[in-house]
Amino acid sequence: MRPRPLRLLVTLLLACCLAACADGAAAPVNGSPGVGDPLFPTAGNGGYDVGHYGLDLSYDPPSGRIEATAALTATAREPLASFDLDLSGLTVTSVTVGGRSADFSRKGTELVVTPAQPLPAGRRFETTVVYQGVPGLLTDPDGSQEGWFHTDDGGALALGEPVGSMAWFPGDDHPSDKATYDITVTVPHPMTVVANGELAGTAPRPGGRTAFHWHVAQPMATYLATVAIGDYTVQRSRTASGLPVYTAVDPRSDDPQTAASLARIPEIVDWESSIFGPFPFSSTGAVVAHLGDRQGGYALETQNRPTFPGNEGTPAVPVTTLVHELSHEWFGDWVTPHNWQDIWLNEGFATYTEWLWKDHEGVATEEQSAQAAFADADNWAFAPASPDAKQVFAPAVYGRGALVLHELRRALGDKAFFRMLRAWPAAHPYGNASTQEFTAFCADFTGKNLTPLFATWLYGRARPAHL
Ligand code: ARG
Ligand code: ZN
């Protein structure tokens, strides 16, 4: 027989729960450790949306360490007893929620935060995380690396696609949760810091150090956040329409081809704007780093200004790569995939933009580019609509993704196709969209039955007899 006091307690607890339910207030839950991404199950977190990140990093070049504070403003989507942030490595020293000290624990790449009091649904709350350490790299299922690259001159470069932002700040590391940012990084003289958005100011700090404050006014996915620390030659200009252009080049990556490519940024942005609509962000440009020859890295469409790793022995910025990355500002950064399986909505469109550019430049016709992609067996390894975690950046996402657009153009005719190309990102400005939303949008926009086209080119595995 159970001892009486325990029985009493159980009865009391039950009564409380029943009363709470009768009240209509759902019991607080523990926010889930992922948002349900089919390829990256622990990316992002359930239960809240971040509206703003205030990141403040102090960087120490000899050790590569950061001492940092992240202040996140978020809204609870359900009543939360606890919630997760994504963070890989580093040491957390304190967490507060709403100004009060919160409990926290680490489990893999999850930082579990338990506020002093549960958060009701709909509550806006601020979380601060104080953390430090040497940020590192994550290795993806395809073997590529991302996160925080230490450059060979004591600097650093953050590249976050798909899940590398958690290597340098705690957050909701999934494309579906976009937010505005203030990124402040303090470095010793004479280092420079470049990030997304616009340079809001620099301020002297003790010990001959300088704080660089970058403000990102338009919502941004975590994977598009970047910081480049090092020796950079900065150039500022404007496009014909007045858009500020900010380029930063590590002098060691300043080969003649790269210089010639970067000089064409205003022209490329204007050309892309004439096809896709006005540039969606308040400034553009490029960052050309120098990772040296021991590291990988990849060109990335970091918001506002794409980033190029600058590896040894190859031109840092071929012009078609620049065209590709800048086109992502519309396709990827303005309208962002709903989850990682929708990646062809980024890479197919950016590859198709390369085809349009080559046609425009007289290098190859759009038809020739399509024929070459059609003939490439790699593009038929899987359907672009359903890559697995190893295939997110595989050729079929890029090449056959672009073939989907080629086929749409053939089916619709130039006029309707280009109207649609412009209307698509504008239908989800600063938002997210899925493959299904795209196919539904195409059918709606054109009034045509495009189901067979998508079945073959987007969802199908087998190569048709001809283009
Ligand atoms: N989005 C980049 C591009 O423009 C590629 C990023 C690849 N990321 C990776 N982890 N392999 O093609
Ligand atoms: Zn791309």
Side-chain angles (χ1 to χ4, degrees), residues 301 324-325 328 346-347 350 398:
E301 62 268 28
H324 175 115
E325 301 308 338
H328 277 307
N346 286 6
E347 303 306 344
Y398 288 70

Side-chain angles (χ1 to χ4, degrees), residues 7 11 73 89 104 117 132 206 219 256 318 334:
R7 232 199 217 163
T11 318
T73 310
F104 63 90
Q117 282 200 321
Q132 51 167 294
W334 195 27

Side-chain angles (χ1 to χ4, degrees), residues 369-384 395-396 399-400 403 407 452-453 455-467:
S369 296
Q371 288 292 355
F374 181 82
D376 185 346
D378 285 348
N379 286 333
W380 299 95
F382 60 92
R400 188 130 69 93
L403 279 175
E407 286 302 308
L453 186 157
T456 305
W457 297 91
L458 180 56
Y459 294 103
R461 171 91 195 267
R463 176 160 36 190
H466 54 79
L467 197 59

